[in-house]
Amino acid sequence: MLSQERLPASYTELYDTVVLPCAAEIAARQSTVARTILIGLNGTQGSGKSTMAKFLVLALAEKHGLNAVILSLDDIYLTKAERQKLAVDVHPLLATRGAPGTHDIALAHSIVEQLQSATPNSTTPLPQFDKSRDDRCPSTEWHVCNGRPEVILLEGWCVASPPQTDAELVEPLNVLERIEDGDGRWRHYVNAKLAGPYGAFFQLIDTLVMLNAPSFEAVLEWRTQQEEKLAERMRETGGDITALSIMSSEELARFLLHFERITRHSLQHLPQRADIRVDFDAGRNVRGLSIRKVEH
């Protein structure tokens, strides 16, 4: 059964009202199998996936004595050269990172297997991606996980997202698809990847957590706010804004068009599949927490 309750909107209460109950449920699920479990964390751009993942690592360690490690889809993009080759061989839109088909899913699958089979003395390198260079960091800069974690947090905007039918792909959804993917080659390629290697990888997920946005329109607003806050922090600290490749509002709006189709489809179909769901309103206030309790 899914238990549901209204929650305070204050962000300062997120840890107590959302993170701790989520961590308790994850810990309970891990205790029933006594092995490393894979937690999928799905959330749109701007929903706070990274913050949620970090809070869960903290809560799992402090409250349950469990070691958790984060694996982000943002860190397993194909290299810039690999995506440029796809842009030539398959479709120009594949040069832009983000959509299924632009990640190294085989690498992610391998890392999960290494972590799940690790010994106390094992070291597992975790890839890092440099968005300022739009390329994967050299392996010498990758983080390392020591030993075997009890929990792996796989976070990303399309984690566990379901593919569409061929009929749903026929009509362009937005101006990007209409002008730059008129024949549908890009969206069919992306969907095939989501149905194939991505879907097979997501089958490894033991528990799915979803940060549920109210609409795609809210996502655009959230992501815009994130970009503005990042630019403001850089100006206050005297940092180099250009080094972070901060996008203008027009650039950001176009960028998010790459994600609109899958995001809308996921918001429609994924909430009922999630084991743990955090519902947000348009102001990014938490308005509900639903947890499907594990059977002991």
Side-chain angles (χ1 to χ4, degrees), residues 81 165 251 274:
T165 65
E251 291 171 331

Side-chain angles (χ1 to χ4, degrees), residues 97-249:
R97 68 179 187 267
T102 64
H103 302 89
D104 192 337
I105 289 298
L107 174 62
H109 201 147
S110 173
I111 291 171
V112 168
E113 289 182 338
Q114 289 179 55
L115 289 170
Q116 290 180 327
S117 62
T119 66
N121 296 321
S122 295
T123 56
T124 305
L126 303 176
Q128 305 295 306
F129 193 87
D130 184 349
K131 291 183 178 179
S132 68
R133 295 188 299 111
D134 192 24
D135 209 351
R136 189 181 297 167
C137 296
S139 57
T140 53
E141 298 178 15
W142 291 12
H143 296 163
V144 172
C145 176
N146 296 309
R148 182 178 68 83
E150 285 85 14
V151 177
I152 304 168
L153 295 167
L154 173 68
E155 64 102 342
W157 77 277
C158 65
V159 165
S161 293
Q164 293 184 292
T165 65
D166 287 343
E168 291 173 309
L169 297 172
V170 172
E171 293 297 325
L173 182 67
N174 54 40
V175 65
L176 178 79
E177 293 186 358
R178 187 164 58 252
I179 296 176
E180 300 184 47
D181 188 41
D183 61 2
R185 284 187 301 117
W186 173 70
R187 57 186 181 269
H188 274 87
Y189 179 87
V190 168
N191 195 65
K193 290 295 183 181
L194 195 58
Y198 283 68
F201 177 51
F202 296 151
Q203 285 295 316
L204 300 177
I205 293 173
D206 294 288
T207 297
L208 177 62
V209 180
M210 183 184 187
L211 305 184
N212 188 31
S215 67
F216 180 77
E217 289 69 28
V219 174
L220 176 58
E221 179 65 23
W222 295 352
R223 190 63 181 79
T224 300
Q225 291 172 357
Q226 276 190 335
E227 208 78 359
E228 291 172 348
K229 288 180 180 178
L230 181 58
E232 184 178 349
R233 284 199 300 270
M234 291 298 291
R235 284 191 291 267
E236 290 175 350
T237 59
D240 184 3
I241 293 179
T242 59
L244 288 180
S245 301
I246 293 175
M247 290 181 277
S248 66
S249 57

Side-chain angles (χ1 to χ4, degrees), residues 41-115:
L41 177 56
N42 174 289
T44 65
Q45 286 81 8
S47 63
K49 294 183 301 299
S50 297
T51 299
M52 182 68 171
K54 292 174 183 176
F55 278 174
L56 282 173
V57 169
L58 179 64
L60 287 168
E62 290 191 343
K63 303 296 183 179
H64 305 282
L66 296 177
N67 181 28
V69 63
I70 299 170
L71 177 60
S72 172
L73 286 186
D74 281 355
D75 283 323
I76 59 161
Y77 286 122
L78 295 170
T79 65
K80 189 173 186 177
E82 289 170 331
R83 285 181 284 115
Q84 288 174 337
K85 187 175 187 304
L86 280 177
V88 173
D89 295 344
V90 181
H91 196 285
L93 285 175
L94 291 169
T96 301
R97 68 179 187 267
T102 64
H103 302 89
D104 192 337
I105 289 298
L107 174 62
H109 201 147
S110 173
I111 291 171
V112 168
E113 289 182 338
Q114 289 179 55
L115 289 170

Side-chain angles (χ1 to χ4, degrees), residues 160-165 168 208 210 212 261-274:
S161 293
Q164 293 184 292
T165 65
E168 291 173 309
L208 177 62
M210 183 184 187
N212 188 31
R261 175 175 291 274
I262 294 175
T263 297
R264 289 188 183 277
H265 190 64
S266 295
L267 290 177
Q268 181 180 358
H269 296 283
L270 209 56
Q272 55 268 36
R273 301 184 186 183

